[in-house]
Amino acid sequence: MPPAIETTGLTKTHGTVRVLDALDLRVEAGTVFALLGPNGAGKTTTVRLLATLTTPDGGHARVAGHDVVTERRAVRRAISLTGQYAAVDETLTGAENLRLTARLSGLSRRAAARRADELLERFRLTDARDRQAKTYSGGMRRRLDLAAGLVRDPGTIRVVFLDEPTTGLDPRSRNDLWDAVRELSAHGTTVFLTTQYLEEADRLAHRVAVLGGGRTLAEGTPEELKNRYAGHRLDLVARDHDAYLRLAPHATAATPESLTLGVPTDGSADHVRALLDALDPHRTDIERFTLHGATLDDVFLHLTGSTKEPSHV
């Protein structure tokens, strides 16, 4: 199948700042793709370009098979966009919000009511359908916002853009939205996700790209990136300062204040045992240890240095 999203040399400049610098991306149909990067890396700009809300200064991009510049209307018919903040009318009920959006999208009165009912049930909002949106929790508003983006004939929506959709949500609400994203992907919809929550990308995304300086610093599955840039680490706490000094030459990371040292490992039980025996054959230097599994936080830090956004996990 052709890719759901493909960019080649995509460039965008704001004033004298080049936000995107020849960005190349390829997103396969029916997958969840997560775009990560520090603040100002160009994540939201990328979404705005792909959703035809702004025009690139150079390069090319196609979404659902359509050029984002020359076929803007076709792109817009094939996508749904949920921004960083819930865009619902707080004075309307949940059902009224969805019916209004459906009518504005061209559905008949009867079709709009039917679609609203379907989405209220799908996003577990039926019990709150007749309550004003201002009484909804943050998570409920985000689910209503996502539902509003899907009111059109579901067969026509091929790509859903979610720009930091879970910012500010509590863990339960975040998990609810994650379930909704998984359901979209399971039904063949492509989801393009930007997020500050690295655990979110790890759990949801089939592939992840990390932006920096307007370019793709790395791309791959979460596991590929963790294996390539992070790996496992055995964190050791020395029994005293002398023990710390004996262990230090073998470490790749160190925190003198807590007498903690990090030693690379493949994470297997055999390798951990062998390391402990080699580093502390008399079992007198190591007070305790912890196996630190590779995370996308580690990948992010490795690739972007000190510009890491909070992971909120």
Side-chain angles (χ1 to χ4, degrees), residues 53-67:
L53 297 179
T54 188
T55 304
D57 297 324
H60 302 279
R62 299 182 70 83
V63 176
H66 305 291
D67 188 280

Side-chain angles (χ1 to χ4, degrees), residues 236-250:
L236 311 171
V237 178
R239 194 170 299 277
D240 53 37
H241 184 68
D242 289 339
Y244 175 86
L245 294 177
R246 285 192 290 271
L247 294 168
H250 307 282

Side-chain angles (χ1 to χ4, degrees), residues 19-311:
V19 182
L20 295 181
D21 186 12
L23 179 66
D24 295 334
L25 291 175
R26 180 184 174 94
V27 181
E28 300 301 331
T31 63
V32 179
F33 187 93
L35 191 64
L36 308 179
N39 288 325
K43 302 187 299 296
T44 296
T45 297
T46 300
V47 170
R48 289 178 58 81
L49 287 169
L50 296 176
T52 75
L53 297 179
T54 188
T55 304
D57 297 324
H60 302 279
R62 299 182 70 83
V63 176
H66 305 291
D67 188 280
V68 299
V69 175
T70 62
E71 301 175 275
R72 294 164 67 93
R73 294 184 65 182
V75 171
R76 291 177 178 180
R77 285 195 297 267
I79 68 172
S80 169
L81 170 62
T82 298
Q84 295 183 21
Y85 306 100
V88 299
D89 189 325
E90 295 190 343
T91 64
L92 299 180
T93 68
E96 288 169 342
N97 265 285
L98 294 183
R99 289 199 298 266
L100 174 63
T101 305
R103 293 286 284 147
L104 292 173
S105 298
L107 273 65
S108 68
R109 188 180 301 275
R110 178 176 296 180
R114 183 171 58 249
R115 185 64 178 147
D117 289 342
E118 292 172 354
L119 290 168
L120 287 166
E121 181 176 359
R122 178 177 179 181
F123 289 94
R124 293 185 290 106
L125 292 169
T126 301
D127 291 344
R129 59 174 295 129
D130 297 322
R131 285 168 43 194
Q132 287 182 304
K134 65 182 179 182
T135 69
Y136 284 16
S137 67
M140 293 170 68
R141 292 188 194 191
R142 293 304 281 167
R143 297 206 306 273
L144 181 62
D145 196 27
L146 182 55
L150 300 173
V151 294
R152 289 178 287 123
D153 180 355
T156 67
I157 301 174
R158 297 171 57 186
V159 180
V160 172
F161 291 100
L162 301 178
D163 191 13
E164 299 187 11
T166 60
T167 298
L169 296 188
D170 60 77
R172 182 183 298 276
S173 298
R174 195 158 66 241
N175 281 324
D176 287 343
L177 198 62
W178 290 354
D179 288 341
V181 170
R182 293 187 184 101
E183 183 181 348
L184 287 171
S185 177
H187 284 83
T189 302
T190 304
V191 179
F192 188 97
L193 171 76
T194 74
T195 181
Q196 295 186 55
Y197 298 90
L198 303 184
E199 182 192 18
E200 185 164 86
D202 203 352
R203 292 196 182 189
L204 293 178
H206 297 95
R207 292 187 70 80
V208 172
V210 181
L211 284 188
R215 293 176 175 268
T216 303
L217 301 178
E219 182 180 341
T221 68
E223 287 304 314
E224 286 173 349
L225 293 179
K226 285 184 284 188
N227 290 335
R228 190 186 313 162
Y229 296 105
H232 292 77
R233 188 179 73 238
L234 193 64
D235 288 337
L236 311 171
V237 178
R239 194 170 299 277
D240 53 37
H241 184 68
D242 289 339
Y244 175 86
L245 294 177
R246 285 192 290 271
L247 294 168
H250 307 282
T252 56
T255 308
E257 297 81 6
S258 60
L259 301 180
T260 303
L261 302 128
V263 182
T265 175
D266 63 12
S268 68
D270 286 345
H271 194 239
V272 169
R273 291 191 190 97
L275 269 176
L276 292 172
D277 288 340
L279 294 170
D280 188 13
H282 303 296
R283 302 187 180 184
T284 57
D285 286 349
I286 298 174
E287 183 173 313
R288 61 183 182 274
F289 68 89
T290 304
L291 181 62
H292 177 88
T295 68
L296 283 184
D297 289 67
D298 300 316
V299 174
F300 197 104
L301 278 172
H302 178 89
L303 292 170
T304 64
S306 60
T307 56
K308 179 182 180 295
E309 292 175 333
S311 66

